[in-house]
Amino acid sequence: MSSLFRSEEMCLVQLFFQTESAHNCISELGHLGLVQFKDLNPSAAAFQRRFVKEVKKCEEMERILRYLEKEMVKSNIVIAATKEKEMSTFEKLEQELREINRNHATLRQNLIELMDIDSLLRMTEDFFEEVLEINFMSMTVSSHITSRRNSNSSTSGALHLSFVAGVIKQERFPAFEKVLWRLFHGNFVLRHAEIQATEELQAVRGAVKKDVFIIFVQGDHVREKIRKVCEGFRASLYSCPKTLYERKQMSNSVMTQMEDLRMILRRTEEYRAGVLTRAAEHVQEWGSKVKKMKAIYYTLNLCNIDITQKLIVAEIWCPVSDLAVVQNALIKGSEQSGSSVTPVLNRIQTQQTPPTFNRTNTFTEGFQAIIDAYGVGTYQEINPAPCTIVTFPFLFAVMFGDCGHGLVMTLFAVWVISQVTDVVIGGRYIILLMGMFSIYTGLIYNDCFSKSFNIFGSSWCVRPINETLHEYHHLQLNPSVPGVYSGDPYVFGIDPVWNIASNKLSFLNSFKMKMSVILGVSHMLFGVTLSLVNFVHFRKFQDIFLQFVPQLIFMLSLFGYLIFLILYKWCITLRSETAPRILLLFINMMLFDYQSEHVLLYGGQKGLQIFLVLTAVLMVPVLLLVKPFLIYRTRMKTRHQVSRATLSQEHMGDISVYQAIHTVEFCLGCISNTASYLRLWALSLAHAELSEVLWRMVLQVGLKISSGMGSLMLVVLFAAFAVLTVTILLVMEGLSAFLHALRLHWVEFQNKFYEGSGYKFTPLSFDSLLKTQQQ
């Protein structure tokens, strides 16, 4: 039980083990997850450490694994679960896969070029026929021919044309044509056409659009200039025969080559898929082993090696209760490596503050995470997590009290737990408890989707006030009317008759506000009491009398008495017209205002209140002055030198300032913290009113429809009611209540006893590494 309410007792242990057994020993410790290695050479540069190269090799292996996984995702290959097989050399696998990808890319590019040539040969036949006509007509008449398909030509006399043919991206063609026109002033014939995309062409080339073009010019000199322009626009130029017979032969040859390339590409893709499929069976195992190796070599870099290079020296933080387990793991690792020297463990004394280690399980880790988010506890101070398991969901439920909404939340948590999604939702047990506590508080409020249960029968009888009800058309519950209230309270929770009373909101407002004050002050007093446990454990007996006792007296004198007033007023019978208000009584008590018109609750109240206020005021100088004075007096007695006296006085100034800040923060914090707990009242009323608004404006409207379409409208309105309930009341209101409960624990509760100035125990744990990898 001590380890549950307090962090584990830690010790610093020095280890000695042989170099050849270091890998196995640290591997066994990593499987345990119970030791944290200290850095024995923090000033050493990275290049001076022995195992830096091994760490870099592991990082290179991780890069290779990421590359393999990326290729598997591209090929839609499912990565199999980890299997217990030997780790193979996957550097060769990467080289093989890269070579396959290079060959595949080359073959694919060759196929694209052959497809472009095929399109060029098929689509330029009519271009050649047109140029032959132009050449024939130019022998008889010299004219300027306007190019069809937005082309330009200029001829004079008989033409002896040469040509340049190729393929260019469609987006570049307008600029390409404009440059040709400006350079050659129309002394060419240009023809082009878009390549029609087929399914195969889109699969190989993608969404890139290309045009086939052919340019007829006179003279080789101009043709060479056009070739350079084509190269500048990254157009692919292909040789095209001049005769029809040669073009058909070339087309047949291209088709044959394309079929061969398609077959080779299919074989290459099948082989690549086979390589990736075989690798997918081992990639998870390889990733796990590489992470373990990297963690081991990183840990070895934190250790020292003796002069003989045969022994490794390490220092570890370890729970005292697990020393025997750690020693057995080291012996096992040493035996696995065949070492003849048994590892040695020496527990050493240290003035360093050990790390904080709170042992958790699946149920408690979520609540411990809430505490650690505020700050990791100081070593060996009391751990609020076990108390938070009860108080956190309860305060949430006070603000979220509705047994219907709580049931939905509980069922959701049960479903999440049954799916074992601990990686996705680590706080599933927090949701479960919040839902269960919400059901409990919802039953107390007698509130289920804004409606009440009448299980035990009402304690109120409305017959004596029937005349008032008929006259004013509303029900006003007044216990002073004879025969209205039976005198026996409702068995459990709030009487259901309040659900139809016109003064329901006034009653719930008063009840929940006072309940919030009682819960808040009780919660803070519990926090102050826990500080006593810390003082006793750390043997700070002086702080018990100079801090705990004055703080407790201060709170009980003022806010403890406020709780007494609330409970006392609940226990006596008063008329609502003459009953004094608790808030005014408390304010008058602090101001010593006791005029004759002020009504008191009991005899001797004035004297008791004056005594309590004076007692609380006297605790302030005790908190502010006594502790610094006693510390100063103790140090003055032990002073031997003037310099030490000066230092002592300077240090005493710091102590006095710190004590003054702590005192002012506590005294003013008691007031502000008590007011802060009123959020329990505000959010509870808001949740209830929102739930009632949804009922009246959505679902109740559907229930009142009596037309033929009433059933359909009821289904639609019920769906809207369900959606709004989930989004507004469960999600938004639930998140709001969660954050407010978190604030009440962090600020109002934990600051009474919890320092949170420690640092977390981060052991070498392979389980944590693999869980991070899965996330």
Side-chain angles (χ1 to χ4, degrees):
M1 290 295 291
S2 60
S3 62
L4 180 64
F5 290 93
R6 200 176 302 280
S7 60
E8 292 270 347
E9 183 181 358
M10 308 295 290
C11 62
L12 186 61
V13 178
Q14 194 172 42
L15 303 181
F16 299 91
F17 45 87
Q18 285 188 311
T19 306
E20 58 267 21
S21 65
H23 191 282
N24 288 335
C25 290
I26 295 181
S27 177
E28 291 296 326
L29 294 177
H31 284 103
L32 284 181
L34 292 173
V35 297
Q36 176 180 331
F37 282 79
K38 283 185 60 181
D39 192 352
L40 296 183
N41 47 359
S43 60
F47 62 86
Q48 295 177 335
R49 305 208 177 198
R50 182 181 179 89
F51 299 98
V52 171
K53 292 183 179 179
E54 285 75 5
V55 173
K56 290 183 177 179
K57 288 180 180 178
C58 292
E59 291 175 349
E60 177 65 17
M61 292 178 184
E62 288 181 330
R63 184 195 62 77
I64 294 173
L65 287 173
R66 288 194 297 268
Y67 171 74
L68 293 177
E69 291 177 356
K70 183 179 178 181
E71 292 297 320
M72 292 172 189
V73 172
K74 284 183 179 179
S75 301
N76 295 324
I77 295 176
V78 180
I79 299 176
T82 302
K83 296 183 179 180
E84 295 296 329
K85 293 184 178 181
E86 291 297 327
M87 184 175 178
S88 62
T89 307
F90 52 87
E91 292 90 342
K92 295 181 179 179
L93 180 61
E94 184 206 18
Q95 296 175 0
E96 181 182 7
L97 190 58
R98 288 188 181 278
E99 184 176 357
I100 293 173
N101 289 338
R102 283 194 298 267
N103 295 337
H104 186 271
T106 303
L107 293 171
R108 190 173 181 177
Q109 184 61 34
N110 292 339
L111 181 59
I112 292 174
E113 291 181 358
L114 289 175
M115 287 181 173
D116 290 342
I117 294 173
D118 180 63
S119 301
L120 177 67
L121 293 173
R122 285 187 293 102
M123 301 176 68
T124 54
E125 285 301 324
D126 56 343
F127 297 163
F128 281 103
E129 293 177 1
E130 183 180 354
V131 170
L132 287 176
E133 294 177 1
I134 294 173
N135 197 15
F136 174 76
M137 293 177 63
S138 65
M139 294 179 182
T140 57
V141 62
S142 176
S143 63
H144 181 75
I145 303 174
T146 304
S147 172
R148 65 189 178 98
R149 301 179 184 178
N150 298 325
S151 303
N152 301 298
S153 64
S154 179
T155 61
S156 179
L159 297 176
H160 300 283
L161 300 178
S162 58
F163 61 88
V164 176
V167 176
I168 189 173
K169 287 186 178 180
Q170 195 176 77
E171 60 187 18
R172 297 175 183 168
F173 184 80
F176 173 66
E177 185 180 15
K178 188 178 295 184
V179 169
L180 288 176
W181 172 260
R182 290 182 178 178
L183 288 177
F184 303 106
H185 303 288
N187 296 317
F188 62 91
V189 176
L190 173 63
R191 299 289 184 268
H192 73 99
E194 181 182 353
I195 299 177
Q196 298 299 321
T198 62
E199 292 184 2
E200 181 186 12
L201 191 60
Q202 287 183 344
V204 175
R205 193 174 63 190
V208 179
K209 294 183 178 181
K210 291 185 178 181
D211 281 4
V212 169
F213 70 90
I214 185 168
I215 306 172
F216 296 93
V217 295
Q218 296 185 62
D220 295 336
H221 181 67
V222 177
R223 185 180 64 180
E224 291 303 322
K225 287 185 177 180
I226 290 178
R227 283 181 175 274
K228 291 182 179 179
V229 174
C230 293
E231 292 174 358
F233 280 90
R234 297 179 183 178
S236 301
L237 300 179
Y238 301 109
S239 60
C240 184
K242 294 183 179 180
T243 65
L244 178 60
Y245 176 75
E246 290 176 343
R247 287 196 294 271
K248 287 184 177 180
Q249 279 190 330
M250 184 176 179
S251 179
N252 294 333
S253 175
V254 168
M255 294 295 293
T256 304
Q257 294 179 36
M258 287 171 60
E259 289 299 325
D260 294 339
L261 277 177
R262 290 188 184 102
M263 182 186 66
I264 296 173
L265 276 171
R266 284 195 300 269
R267 297 283 179 86
T268 304
E269 290 172 356
E270 290 173 1
Y271 181 73
R272 179 175 178 271
V275 172
L276 290 174
T277 302
R278 290 190 297 271
E281 298 178 357
H282 310 284
V283 68
Q284 281 194 357
E285 179 195 1
W286 292 343
S288 301
K289 289 189 176 181
V290 168
K291 282 191 173 292
K292 291 179 182 179
M293 290 169 56
K294 184 179 178 181
I296 289 171
Y297 287 126
Y298 177 81
T299 303
L300 286 172
N301 279 329
L302 304 179
C303 306
N304 280 337
I305 301 179
D306 69 342
I307 300 176
T308 63
Q309 302 292 312
K310 293 182 178 181
L311 285 179
I312 289 182
V313 183
E315 289 185 2
I316 61 171
W317 291 108
C318 173
V320 175
S321 59
D322 296 318
L323 277 176
V325 179
V326 171
Q327 186 171 11
N328 293 334
L330 288 172
I331 294 174
K332 181 180 178 181
S334 179
E335 291 175 350
Q336 289 176 352
S337 59
S339 175
S340 59
V341 179
T342 303
V344 178
L345 282 77
N346 291 328
R347 183 173 176 178
I348 58 178
Q349 299 297 325
T350 179
Q351 297 298 323
Q352 300 179 22
T353 303
T356 302
F357 174 44
N358 294 297
R359 205 181 297 267
T360 60
N361 52 34
T362 306
F363 178 77
T364 60
E365 63 182 355
F367 296 96
Q368 188 64 55
I370 290 177
I371 303 301
D372 293 341
Y374 174 80
V376 179
T378 306
Y379 177 67
Q380 285 284 285
E381 78 171 335
I382 193 166
N383 181 22
C387 308
T388 305
I389 294 175
V390 177
T391 58
F392 183 84
F394 177 71
L395 291 182
F396 170 87
V398 171
M399 296 178 279
F400 195 77
D402 189 295
C403 58
H405 299 154
L407 180 61
V408 174
M409 184 177 293
T410 303
L411 293 176
F412 171 75
V414 170
W415 175 78
V416 171
I417 293 171
S418 64
Q419 298 298 316
V420 197
T421 55
D422 56 328
V423 177
V424 180
I425 305 179
R428 58 200 184 282
Y429 289 104
I430 300 178
I431 300 176
L432 176 65
L433 288 185
M434 290 192 304
M436 295 175 65
F437 275 79
S438 296
I439 295 175
Y440 171 73
T441 55
L443 292 174
I444 291 179
Y445 296 157
N446 204 351
D447 208 353
C448 179
F449 298 110
S450 79
K451 308 308 293 180
S452 299
F453 297 114
N454 189 2
I455 302 175
F456 305 102
S458 177
S459 300
W460 296 76
C461 182
V462 298
R463 291 180 180 176
I465 52 175
N466 273 340
E467 296 180 359
T468 305
L469 182 62
H470 286 298
E471 181 179 356
Y472 296 101
H473 302 287
H474 68 272
L475 176 63
Q476 180 80 22
L477 296 180
N478 186 356
S480 62
V481 177
V484 172
Y485 182 59
S486 65
D488 298 324
Y490 193 67
V491 177
F492 181 80
I494 295 177
D495 198 301
V497 75
W498 284 103
N499 196 49
I500 59 174
S502 61
N503 57 341
K504 169 190 173 182
L505 187 60
S506 301
F507 167 73
L508 292 180
N509 185 47
S510 175
F511 167 72
K512 291 185 177 181
M513 181 177 65
K514 295 174 181 177
M515 175 198 66
S516 300
V517 174
I518 294 173
L519 293 177
V521 175
S522 301
H523 199 210
M524 290 189 295
L525 285 172
F526 179 56
V528 173
T529 305
L530 290 179
S531 66
L532 174 64
V533 182
N534 281 332
F535 294 149
V536 172
H537 177 78
F538 293 112
R539 299 185 178 278
K540 296 181 179 180
F541 300 109
Q542 187 181 54
D543 289 338
I544 295 176
F545 298 101
L546 301 182
Q547 183 170 328
F548 167 72
V549 173
Q551 287 181 352
L552 187 64
I553 294 176
F554 181 86
M555 287 199 68
L556 288 176
S557 299
L558 298 180
F559 302 100
Y561 179 71
L562 178 61
I563 295 178
F564 167 77
L565 290 178
I566 294 173
L567 297 178
Y568 183 79
K569 186 178 179 181
W570 280 348
C571 296
I572 61 177
T573 302
L574 296 172
R575 294 183 60 85
S576 59
E577 297 83 3
T578 59
R581 296 182 178 274
I582 298 297
L583 182 59
L584 292 178
L585 284 176
F586 189 73
I587 293 174
N588 294 333
M589 167 185 167
M590 300 300 298
L591 298 176
F592 296 99
D593 186 4
Y594 298 100
Q595 299 179 12
S596 58
E597 64 270 14
H598 292 167
V599 181
L600 300 179
L601 287 176
Y602 58 90
Q605 181 177 353
K606 177 180 177 181
L608 178 61
Q609 291 183 168
I610 294 175
F611 171 76
L612 292 176
V613 173
L614 292 177
T615 303
V617 171
L618 290 176
M619 292 301 105
V620 176
V622 174
L623 289 169
L624 185 63
L625 302 174
V626 176
K627 182 178 178 180
F629 175 75
L630 290 179
I631 295 176
Y632 176 76
R633 184 178 179 183
T634 302
R635 296 195 176 186
M636 290 295 292
K637 288 183 179 180
T638 58
R639 183 187 61 182
H640 297 290
Q641 298 179 358
V642 177
S643 58
R644 290 185 180 180
T646 304
L647 292 174
S648 177
Q649 291 174 1
E650 292 176 356
H651 188 62
M652 282 305 304
D654 295 339
I655 294 177
S656 300
V657 171
Y658 173 79
Q659 191 66 23
I661 294 174
H662 182 78
T663 302
V664 172
E665 180 184 8
F666 175 80
C667 296
L668 296 181
C670 287
I671 302 173
S672 62
N673 292 345
T674 303
S676 183
Y677 277 95
L678 293 177
R679 69 186 69 237
L680 299 175
W681 154 55
L683 266 74
S684 176
L685 282 180
H687 185 84
E689 290 303 311
L690 279 174
S691 181
E692 188 170 355
V693 166
L694 283 181
W695 169 264
R696 289 182 177 179
M697 299 185 65
V698 181
L699 195 58
Q700 193 176 36
V701 174
L703 294 174
K704 290 181 178 180
I705 298 176
S706 59
S707 61
M709 297 295 290
S711 300
L712 179 61
M713 289 297 299
L714 180 60
V715 172
V716 174
L717 291 175
F718 179 79
F721 175 78
V723 171
L724 292 174
T725 298
V726 172
T727 55
I728 297 178
L729 295 178
L730 291 180
V731 178
M732 297 176 62
E733 281 284 317
L735 180 60
S736 176
F738 178 88
L739 295 176
H740 283 288
L742 200 63
R743 182 245 158 78
L744 290 176
H745 278 79
W746 283 356
V747 179
E748 279 73 28
F749 173 60
Q750 290 180 192
N751 69 349
K752 302 294 187 297
F753 65 95
Y754 187 72
E755 292 184 7
S757 58
Y759 64 101
K760 196 170 184 179
F761 178 64
T762 53
L764 173 65
S765 174
F766 292 153
D767 291 340
S768 299
L769 288 175
L770 297 180
K771 184 180 292 186
T772 304
Q773 180 185 12
Q774 293 174 358
Q775 292 177 347

